[in-house]
Every structure is written in C-alpha cells, then in structure tokens.
Amino acid sequence: MGRPFTYSRTIHFPDTDAAGVVFFARYLSIVHEAYEESLAAAGLPLATFFADHGVVVPIAKSEASYLRPLLTGDRIEVELTPTRLSEHSFALEATLWKQISGTRKRAAVTRTEHVCIHSTTRERLALPDALATWVDAS
Amino acid sequence: MGRPFTYSRTIHFPDTDAAGVVFFARYLSIVHEAYEESLAAAGLPLATFFADHGVVVPIAKSEASYLRPLLTGDRIEVELTPTRLSEHSFALEATLWKQISGTRKRAAVTRTEHVCIHSTTRERLALPDALATWVDAS
Amino acid sequence: MGRPFTYSRTIHFPDTDAAGVVFFARYLSIVHEAYEESLAAAGLPLATFFADHGVVVPIAKSEASYLRPLLTGDRIEVELTPTRLSEHSFALEATLWKQISGTRKRAAVTRTEHVCIHSTTRERLALPDALATWVDAS
Amino acid sequence: MGRPFTYSRTIHFPDTDAAGVVFFARYLSIVHEAYEESLAAAGLPLATFFADHGVVVPIAKSEASYLRPLLTGDRIEVELTPTRLSEHSFALEATLWKQISGTRKRAAVTRTEHVCIHSTTRERLALPDALATWVDAS
C-alpha cells in the first residue's frame, strides 16, 4: 500500500471550450490519461491489454464533482487510488489538484468503475494477473 | 409537463477510440449536445447565456452508467428530462438509446447537475427566467 | 457527375475552445463527419471498410484555409467533392458554409488525400470497388 | 537563431480513433499544445494574449503530411520552427517525431499560418512585441 500515483499536466487550449474553461467531460479524459500513465509506470501499457486477445476493461460507471474551473496554462496534478470491487472489477478514485501560487486546491474528484470482459462475448472475466496486482498494490 | 426532448445523432469516427467504440467521456459530450439542442428548440440558444453578462451555468456533478458500446455508424437518440433542484440549480437526466434493427436499447443513462453562478464572483444566482421556464416546463 | 454531397450540422459547445470559436483542427473533424455521411448515403458505411480485413484508407495529407470563425449555435453546411488521384488514392475537397441570416458564406475550404493501404503491411492497395465507384460517381 | 523548441508527449487513449491510431486532425491539436508550451517556455503564456483586450492570433491556414501512424503509448517529440511572414503574421513549421527503439522517425510534418487580428473588428494588427520577439528569435 503506497502513496497514490500522481500525474502532472498542463491545461492546453484544445482542452477548453467557449466558456474559457475545461469542458466537464474533459476532466474524465484527463483522469484516463493519468490511469494510462499509472499503468505504464507499473510496466502495464494499456496497449498490451488489447494485444491480449479477448480482454477489454471498459468503464461501466463514472461520477464526478467539478469544484473549480481549469484554464489554459493551469498546472494540474491527478492523484489516483484504485480499489478492488470484485474478481473482475475495480474502482478508480481520482483527485485533480490545481496548482495555485505555491499551494494546490481540488479542482475535481472523480470515481470510475472498470469491469473486465471478453471483447466479443462481453462476458465478465477475472482481471488479468498483472492488472490485479496493480490494483491490489496501490 | 410534456414528453422528453429527443435528439438524434449518428456516431462518427472522431467520436471513437482505439477500442473501436465511443470513449466513455464522450457520452457526456453527446448529452451536452442534446441539452444545447433542447434549449435551442425552446428558443434559448446557449450562446445567449454568455451574452447575458455575468451568468454562467456550469455543470457541478455528473454521473453515468455505460450500458452498451457505441460504434461508428450507430444511430442514437438522447432523451432529456430536466428537474428543478433549487432556485439556482437543476438536474438533467438523459438516456442514450441505440437503434438496433427496428428496436432500441439503452446505451447509457446519465445525470448532470447545473448550477447558475456569476461568471466572475462565482456566487450562486437564481436561474434566468427563460432557463427556469425551460426546466419547469419539461 | 452529380451535385456535391451536402452535410448539415449545428456547432455545439464541445466543438469550441477558449477563444469562443471552433478550434482549427476541429474543422477537419467536421469534414470527416461529412465524408462518413456521404459514404453512408451511398450505402458504404465506414465501419464496413474495417470489417474488410486488411483494408484501411488513412488520410495522407490535409490542407485547410480558415476563413470565418464558427460559434456555438452556428448552422453550417459541408459540401464534398471527391476526385480520383490514382488507382489507390483520391482527394476530397470540402467547403464549409456558414449560414448567416438567409445567405451563406464560406467558413473554410479543405482538401484531404486518402490512400488505400493494407492495414498491417502498409502497402498500397487499389481502392475497393464500392469506394472507387463512390469517388468516380461524385 | 537557436535550436528548435522540442515538446515531448505520450499518446493517450483519448487521442486515438477506432482505427487504433491517432485521428489525423488530432496531430494538429498536438502541434498546438507544443506551440503553447513553446510560448510558455518563453514567458508568453497563451492566456495573456486573450487578456490583452482585442488581440487574437487565429490560424488562417494549415497543411499536414501524415507519415506514420501513432498508437496509444507511443512517445513523440514535436519540434517547432516559427518564421516571420509579415508585420502581422508568421508561419509555424512542426515535425512530429515518433520514438522507435532508440531512434526516431518522422510521424508527420505540419505548417500553420498565424495572423494577428483585432478580436471584434477582425482587422489585421501588428504582432505584439513579445510575440514578434519569440518568432524572430527562434
């Protein structure tokens, strides 16, 4: 049980919408980037799951609270905490921190549920060992 | 109290990701398109809110359950039901239906919370009359 | 040789960026939507190409001139004209028209080159018959 | 006259489409990220231009050649070279390099033209000094 994985990123212009801030759905894309980076840091690039024929891990649910607007040029950090839900699923809790002059404040908190299934039959499968290890070690 | 507003759309290639299906965050963008179309159909184009100096209606929370994958070429319908939450907020419940050979099945259900605030002070404001009417009439 | 295919669309909030207008790269995504709709109207849904194992038609080049800003709520029309370049490639010229109070003005013109290749060997292939027919008939 | 600015980035899942690779228009978004990072590295965050009332620098033209597919997990580098075109415009040439086992190969080359205008009158304006310095120093 270690510290949560942290992913740092700058907000770019294509992340924003005409209200001048990051569009709400985009927060979830950014969390997914952090999830990919966390897997890659553990030697588990997402691409390999697709190479493992028949195993996909789609997101079944998402929840998000949007607490602060994010603007072009903002520096953010995403902290991730995965939690095992069952043999074939896990939850991922994320906090997006916005850096504000030396301190940081929460810009959003999200929770996603990931379920391992067979890509064609859509039947539930046990998490691949490497993914299970990543979930349980975090 | 009428029937829910329905927005029809085809899934396009840029909506999808490398898993061959619509990325989960994108479902929420599609719901937002439907929301804009519903406002426009009521004579309330979203652009006018921004012209009303100082009033923005950001999304404070979102929840979604992703029930079926959506592929390029799929025809979908989005049904929207707004519900008043308070003087300055409302919820929007959406169902995304996927058309499958003459019938339709739920591809996702979402719920978003929209809060009216002042664009600079970020203080809560009462919903503009036209928006309140749209919420309460639906 | 018929009239160019026309695709109509409203600009939505997620299409825009913090400058309040459609991000330049997004014009090309919208052209791709029009291209998909044109193929679908000809009975050639893009999804079928991927089902034809081994044949993909990636875009090798793009050019665009951005002439007018597009805002949330704008109604646009995209006109497409494909032109055969070789046995295994074609160009697609597109004009994006912005509807302005009863008339329309050009918002952008684009040109993309599409090359048919084998998905794994990346070798050039002749255009599939149905696609060649669509190109040559336009 | 220095070396070109280099921006490094990993390709993430939301960057890709159902063909399993980065959608062609997305290459241009990634170039824009690099442009923003280059400006920020020179002490010129893009957000400041919008704060300078009345000055915007939209992209008037783009050209791109897509040479190699980019997949989720790929590491890329973007090299930028700005060139002055006139008192109120400049071109930005970009090369996207894909890192392949110790070496790197070109994934795309792009060229964009950026024109300084007044945000409401849309009349051409001289480049702001700081931006002109950035262009001419590169």
Side-chain angles (χ1 to χ4, degrees):
Chain A
M1 176 81 188
R3 300 182 52 199
F5 178 81
T6 300
Y7 168 64
S8 297
R9 187 188 191 288
T10 299
I11 299 301
H12 293 116
F13 208 69
D15 294 317
T16 61
D17 64 28
V21 297
V22 173
F23 187 65
F24 78 109
R26 189 81 171 179
Y27 286 75
L28 292 166
S29 298
I30 293 171
V31 166
H32 201 278
E33 291 177 17
Y35 164 52
E36 293 174 48
E37 292 285 339
S38 175
L39 288 175
L44 270 175
L46 196 62
T48 61
F49 292 121
F50 298 101
D52 291 353
H53 305 297
V55 179
V56 289
V57 193
I59 290 169
K61 289 189 185 174
S62 68
E63 291 175 15
S65 293
Y66 309 96
L67 306 173
R68 275 188 177 75
L70 294 173
L71 285 77
T72 297
D74 278 352
R75 288 292 303 171
I76 61 167
E77 289 179 352
V78 185
E79 280 182 1
L80 292 183
T81 309
T83 308
R84 181 71 87 100
L85 294 178
S86 74
E87 189 193 4
H88 30 59
S89 63
F90 64 94
L92 194 61
E93 294 182 331
T95 304
L96 283 83
W97 298 92
K98 175 175 177 166
Q99 294 181 7
I100 303 174
S101 54
T103 179
R104 65 178 199 174
K105 304 219 169 177
R106 291 189 310 164
V109 290
T110 71
R111 183 179 182 280
T112 45
E113 287 187 19
H114 305 243
V115 181
C116 187
I117 61 172
H118 193 279
S119 63
T120 50
T121 66
R122 313 294 294 179
E123 277 174 35
R124 295 190 167 207
L125 295 179
L127 295 180
D129 285 348
L131 187 57
T133 300
W134 174 82
V135 171
D136 297 335
S138 296
Chain B
M1 176 81 187
R3 299 181 51 198
F5 178 81
T6 300
Y7 168 64
S8 297
R9 187 188 192 287
T10 300
I11 298 301
H12 293 115
F13 208 70
D15 294 317
T16 61
D17 65 27
V21 297
V22 173
F23 188 64
F24 78 109
R26 190 80 172 181
Y27 285 75
L28 292 166
S29 297
I30 293 171
V31 166
H32 201 276
E33 291 178 17
Y35 165 53
E36 293 174 48
E37 293 285 339
S38 175
L39 288 175
L44 270 175
L46 196 62
T48 62
F49 292 121
F50 297 101
D52 290 353
H53 305 298
V55 179
V56 290
V57 193
I59 290 168
K61 289 187 185 175
S62 68
E63 291 174 16
S65 294
Y66 309 96
L67 306 173
R68 274 188 179 74
L70 294 173
L71 285 78
T72 296
D74 278 352
R75 289 292 304 169
I76 60 167
E77 290 179 350
V78 185
E79 281 182 1
L80 291 183
T81 309
T83 308
R84 182 71 87 98
L85 295 178
S86 74
E87 188 193 4
H88 30 59
S89 63
F90 65 94
L92 195 60
E93 293 181 331
T95 304
L96 283 82
W97 298 92
K98 174 175 176 165
Q99 293 181 7
I100 303 173
S101 55
T103 180
R104 66 179 197 173
K105 304 222 167 176
R106 291 188 312 164
V109 291
T110 72
R111 183 179 182 280
T112 45
E113 288 187 17
H114 305 243
V115 181
C116 187
I117 62 172
H118 193 280
S119 63
T120 50
T121 66
R122 313 294 292 180
E123 278 174 33
R124 294 189 168 209
L125 296 177
L127 295 180
D129 284 349
L131 187 57
T133 300
W134 174 83
V135 171
D136 297 336
S138 295
Chain C
M1 174 83 186
R3 300 181 52 198
F5 178 81
T6 300
Y7 168 65
S8 297
R9 187 188 192 287
T10 299
I11 298 301
H12 293 115
F13 208 70
D15 294 317
T16 61
D17 65 28
V21 297
V22 173
F23 188 64
F24 78 109
R26 189 81 171 179
Y27 286 75
L28 293 166
S29 296
I30 293 171
V31 167
H32 201 276
E33 291 178 17
Y35 164 53
E36 293 174 49
E37 293 285 339
S38 176
L39 289 175
L44 269 175
L46 196 62
T48 60
F49 292 121
F50 297 101
D52 291 352
H53 306 297
V55 179
V56 289
V57 193
I59 290 169
K61 289 187 185 175
S62 68
E63 291 175 15
S65 294
Y66 309 96
L67 306 173
R68 275 187 178 75
L70 294 173
L71 286 78
T72 297
D74 278 352
R75 288 291 304 169
I76 61 167
E77 289 179 350
V78 185
E79 280 182 2
L80 291 183
T81 309
T83 309
R84 182 71 87 100
L85 294 179
S86 74
E87 188 193 4
H88 29 60
S89 63
F90 64 95
L92 193 61
E93 294 181 332
T95 304
L96 283 83
W97 298 92
K98 174 176 178 165
Q99 293 181 8
I100 302 174
S101 55
T103 180
R104 65 179 198 173
K105 304 219 168 177
R106 291 189 310 164
V109 291
T110 71
R111 183 179 182 281
T112 44
E113 288 187 18
H114 305 242
V115 181
C116 188
I117 61 172
H118 193 278
S119 61
T120 49
T121 67
R122 313 292 295 179
E123 277 174 34
R124 295 190 167 208
L125 295 178
L127 294 180
D129 284 348
L131 186 57
T133 300
W134 174 83
V135 170
D136 296 336
S138 297
Chain D
M1 177 79 187
R3 301 181 50 198
F5 177 82
T6 300
Y7 168 65
S8 295
R9 187 188 191 288
T10 299
I11 299 301
H12 293 116
F13 208 69
D15 295 316
T16 61
D17 65 28
V21 297
V22 173
F23 188 64
F24 77 110
R26 189 83 171 178
Y27 286 74
L28 292 166
S29 297
I30 292 171
V31 167
H32 202 276
E33 291 178 16
Y35 165 53
E36 293 175 48
E37 293 285 340
S38 176
L39 288 175
L44 269 175
L46 196 63
T48 62
F49 292 121
F50 297 101
D52 290 353
H53 305 297
V55 179
V56 289
V57 193
I59 290 168
K61 288 187 185 174
S62 68
E63 291 175 15
S65 294
Y66 310 95
L67 306 173
R68 274 188 178 75
L70 293 173
L71 285 78
T72 297
D74 278 352
R75 289 291 305 169
I76 60 166
E77 290 179 351
V78 185
E79 280 182 1
L80 292 183
T81 308
T83 307
R84 182 71 87 100
L85 294 178
S86 74
E87 188 193 4
H88 29 60
S89 63
F90 64 95
L92 194 61
E93 293 181 331
T95 304
L96 283 83
W97 298 92
K98 175 176 176 166
Q99 293 181 8
I100 303 173
S101 54
T103 179
R104 64 181 199 174
K105 304 220 169 176
R106 290 188 312 163
V109 291
T110 72
R111 183 179 181 281
T112 45
E113 288 187 17
H114 305 243
V115 180
C116 188
I117 62 172
H118 193 279
S119 62
T120 50
T121 67
R122 314 294 294 180
E123 277 174 34
R124 294 189 168 210
L125 295 177
L127 294 180
D129 285 348
L131 187 57
T133 299
W134 173 82
V135 171
D136 297 335
S138 297

